Amino acid sequence: MARADPAMTDPRTLRDPARLATGLKMFLILVLALLPLGMIALIATLQSTRTADVERRALLRVAATESARALSIELVGDMGALRTAANVLAADPGNAESCDRVRSILAVQTSRDARFSIGHRGQTALCGERFAPSFPGEAGASGDIVSRIVPNEGLLLAVRSDDRSVVAKAYFPLVLLASVGRPTGMMPGYRLSVVSGESRLALRDTAQFGPFSREEHISVPLGVGDLNAEMSLSRVPLTAPEIVALIAPLLMWFAAAAIAWLVTDRLLLAPLKRLRRELVAYRPGESFTPPPDSRTPAVELQELGETFRRITAIVADHEADLARGLEHQTRLTREVHHRVKNNLQVISSLINLHARGAKGAEAVRAYASIQRRVDALSVVHRNYFAEQEVNRGLNLRSVLGELASNIRATAPEGSARMQIMLELESLYVTQDTAVAVSFLVTELIELAMQVDPSATLAITLRSVDLPGRAELAVRSPALQANSRLTKHMAGSVARVIEGLGRQLRSPLSQDPERGRFAVEIGYVARD
């Protein structure tokens, strides 16, 4: 089963139509675009249905007119012959020739003889024979045809002679009327009746009226008394062909939209989704392979996938070149650092050699002071070279610890008893900050050794409340306010210390009573 698109289940999609999936938007657009064509086809089908109804009603009118004409010819002709015979017998009751003529006329016009009787009212028939049913009333003007419908049996007609003394009656059975009134070429499913007032004689009934059927009927006068030929046609509201004709445009409308969406989805959207998934899963350095094509792939999508493949191949080549360049640059940097370290070591060795050949305690102390500063720079450079691989900066705790060890190792003989206590957090700083901090600590320790070689020093480094900031402090009794400290601070030492504070971009604070110097520095990381 296909997995539902997350865009379709996102509640924001329902509020913002622009977030709908492209396939759904395309399907809706196609449905709306093809709707006018579907409506035109539906209207044309409805018009065809109405045209078929009109044709059906015209066929019904033609069939009813044909049946009425056939019945009228039969009945009017027979009753005309009876009226003529009644007039002859009224003048000459013994005229048997007129009676034979009527019998022959009725025998020729009908396939089955209609029974007739001509005679005076209440007396023996002058012509024909008595028959049932009887005619209840014979009132009426001379020449007028009077009718009576015998339910489910037939039709009884009567006419008077001109002098109203003789009555001619004829009885037409149901089978005869049904045969005469049957229209030619009429399909089954109709009802034909002879109607007189409230009486009705059904000649043919092949119609089947259901609860949802419609009835169309037409009535045509027969020209015999008040008789009418009535034909009814039954039809359902919508026949199966009409239903198919009505549904077909809607099905075609929906099928056209669905097929267009399906083709677009399979040839365009689905390959695009597969290509997007491959691109999302792609990682730099890997080989990008376009997804396998479908049976009928779009050429443009194949070209797009091939373009992505070429781009990723170019990117991979460039990344490989960059990696090789970075590796070469790293080797060069390491070589430079190695040479700088060696140069600093050479300088330190030269200073040490010159210190050994120096004459006078003052020159020896000067060489030692220079030596300690070169060592401070060497410590920073060595730690920076070690931390370069992780690119987190220099661990100031390691730098100050190594610096303190080197100072104690190179301290003059009178300062051998100097103790340096460290309370340092593991903070990482940049190289510029590490150099300035190393020189500042070296200058303060050098100052303390000049004032009191046996004094104790405490170096602290702890973070403060501000993010990325820490406080570096050097405290010693030798740095408390006294004449010797003032004498040594009067020279270049004070300017150097203040300059290093400016380099750290923070003011250097001094507490003369506690013998404490402090400065705030920035750090980039911490353990």
Side-chain angles (χ1 to χ4, degrees):
M1 185 178 239
R3 183 174 297 175
D5 192 344
M8 293 301 299
T9 58
D10 190 350
R12 294 176 296 178
T13 301
L14 302 178
R15 297 191 296 266
D16 186 7
R19 298 176 62 90
L20 290 174
T22 304
L24 180 59
K25 288 192 288 188
M26 183 170 296
F27 178 74
L28 294 177
I29 291 173
L30 289 172
V31 167
L32 294 178
L34 296 175
L35 181 59
L37 298 179
M39 295 303 297
I40 292 173
L42 182 61
I43 293 172
T45 303
L46 292 175
Q47 184 63 33
S48 300
T49 303
R50 285 193 290 268
T51 302
D53 290 341
V54 172
E55 293 177 354
R56 188 184 295 270
R57 284 191 291 270
L59 177 62
L60 176 63
R61 186 178 300 108
V62 170
T65 303
E66 179 185 356
S67 298
R69 183 180 296 111
L71 290 173
S72 177
I73 292 173
E74 176 69 23
L75 298 178
V76 171
D78 291 347
M79 295 310 296
L82 288 175
R83 184 171 55 248
T84 301
N87 290 328
V88 172
L89 292 175
D92 183 8
N95 191 340
E97 183 179 352
S98 62
C99 186
D100 295 336
R101 187 181 300 111
V102 170
R103 185 175 289 108
S104 62
I105 290 174
L106 293 180
V108 171
Q109 291 185 352
T110 61
S111 58
R112 298 177 182 175
D113 293 339
R115 288 172 290 175
F116 70 96
S117 174
I118 302 176
H120 295 286
R121 182 178 180 183
Q123 298 179 2
T124 304
L126 301 176
C127 182
E129 57 181 328
R130 287 186 175 273
F131 56 86
S134 61
F135 206 87
E138 299 173 354
S142 60
D144 291 341
I145 301 175
V146 182
S147 62
R148 176 194 171 193
I149 293 177
V150 181
N152 301 322
E153 293 185 12
L155 176 65
L156 184 63
L157 299 180
V159 63
R160 285 179 178 270
S161 61
D162 293 340
D163 59 2
R164 299 176 60 84
S165 60
V166 176
V167 177
K169 297 185 296 181
Y171 176 72
F172 300 91
L174 176 61
V175 176
L176 173 62
L177 296 176
S179 176
V180 172
R182 182 177 182 178
T184 59
M186 188 65 177
M187 297 295 292
Y190 67 94
R191 177 185 297 166
L192 178 61
S193 302
V194 175
V195 181
S196 176
E198 297 298 329
S199 301
R200 178 183 299 273
L201 178 63
L203 304 183
R204 183 176 294 274
D205 189 359
T206 59
Q208 296 179 356
F209 293 94
F212 300 102
S213 300
R214 291 190 303 172
E215 181 179 0
E216 295 181 1
H217 65 277
I218 187 171
S219 181
V220 180
L222 295 180
V224 179
D226 60 348
L227 295 179
N228 294 304
E230 186 175 284
M231 181 174 286
S232 300
L233 188 65
S234 66
R235 64 181 299 267
V236 295
L238 291 175
T239 61
E242 291 173 343
I243 293 176
V244 172
L246 288 175
I247 295 179
L250 300 178
L251 293 178
M252 293 173 61
W253 164 56
F254 181 80
I259 292 172
W261 168 79
L262 183 62
V263 171
T264 305
D265 182 73
R266 295 306 176 194
L267 294 184
L268 180 63
L269 299 181
L272 276 178
K273 290 179 181 178
R274 292 196 298 270
L275 183 60
R276 177 182 176 275
R277 286 195 297 268
E278 293 292 333
L279 289 176
V280 169
Y282 170 75
R283 294 294 178 267
E286 297 178 354
S287 177
F288 176 77
T289 303
D293 299 324
S294 59
R295 295 182 179 178
T296 56
V299 177
E300 293 78 8
L301 291 181
Q302 292 182 6
E303 295 176 350
L304 180 62
E306 182 62 23
T307 301
F308 278 122
R309 189 195 64 77
R310 289 197 299 266
I311 291 175
T312 54
I314 294 173
V315 171
D317 293 341
H318 287 179
E319 287 185 348
D321 293 339
L322 291 175
R324 288 191 294 269
L326 179 60
E327 183 180 358
H328 179 67
Q329 188 66 32
T330 302
R331 286 198 300 268
L332 292 178
T333 303
R334 288 176 179 175
E335 182 66 23
V336 169
H337 279 286
H338 183 68
R339 293 186 180 185
V340 170
K341 184 180 68 172
N342 291 341
N343 292 337
L344 289 175
Q345 186 64 37
V346 170
I347 294 173
S348 179
S349 299
L350 290 175
I351 293 174
N352 191 22
L353 290 175
H354 284 285
R356 291 177 183 178
K359 297 179 181 180
E362 195 69 28
V364 172
R365 285 195 297 272
Y367 276 118
S369 178
I370 296 173
Q371 179 76 40
R372 282 189 288 272
R373 286 160 177 78
V374 173
D375 288 344
L377 185 59
S378 298
V379 169
V380 173
H381 188 79
R382 187 164 54 252
N383 280 272
Y384 175 75
F385 181 73
E387 296 290 343
Q388 187 181 15
E389 299 297 333
V390 295
N391 198 22
R392 296 179 62 189
L394 283 83
N395 192 335
L396 203 55
R397 180 177 181 178
S398 301
V399 173
L400 294 178
E402 186 176 352
L403 181 63
S405 299
N406 290 342
I407 291 176
R408 283 196 298 266
T410 60
E413 295 181 359
S415 303
R417 297 188 306 272
M418 175 177 284
Q419 296 183 0
I420 301 177
M421 295 180 295
L422 302 176
E423 185 180 351
L424 308 172
E425 293 185 14
S426 184
L427 303 177
Y428 292 85
V429 296
T430 62
Q431 183 182 15
D432 294 338
T433 302
V435 171
V437 167
S438 298
F439 281 131
L440 178 62
V441 171
T442 301
E443 291 294 335
L444 292 175
I445 294 176
E446 183 78 20
L447 179 61
M449 286 191 301
Q450 291 177 1
V451 174
D452 184 3
S454 63
T456 303
L457 279 89
I459 303 175
T460 60
L461 177 65
R462 60 172 61 93
S463 58
V464 296
D465 294 337
L466 295 176
R469 305 295 293 177
E471 183 188 56
L472 173 68
V474 177
R475 182 172 54 83
S476 175
L479 299 179
Q480 293 177 352
N482 54 62
S483 58
R484 296 188 57 151
L485 179 66
T486 303
K487 177 183 176 182
H488 288 286
M489 289 284 291
S492 62
V493 176
R495 292 194 301 272
V496 172
I497 293 176
E498 290 178 358
L500 292 172
R502 286 193 298 271
Q503 187 175 352
L504 292 171
R505 296 181 179 83
S506 182
L508 181 66
S509 62
Q510 180 183 5
D511 187 352
E513 295 182 358
R514 299 174 58 193
R516 184 175 185 272
F517 286 82
V519 65
E520 191 174 290
I521 64 174
Y523 64 90
V524 295
R526 63 182 301 171
D527 287 337

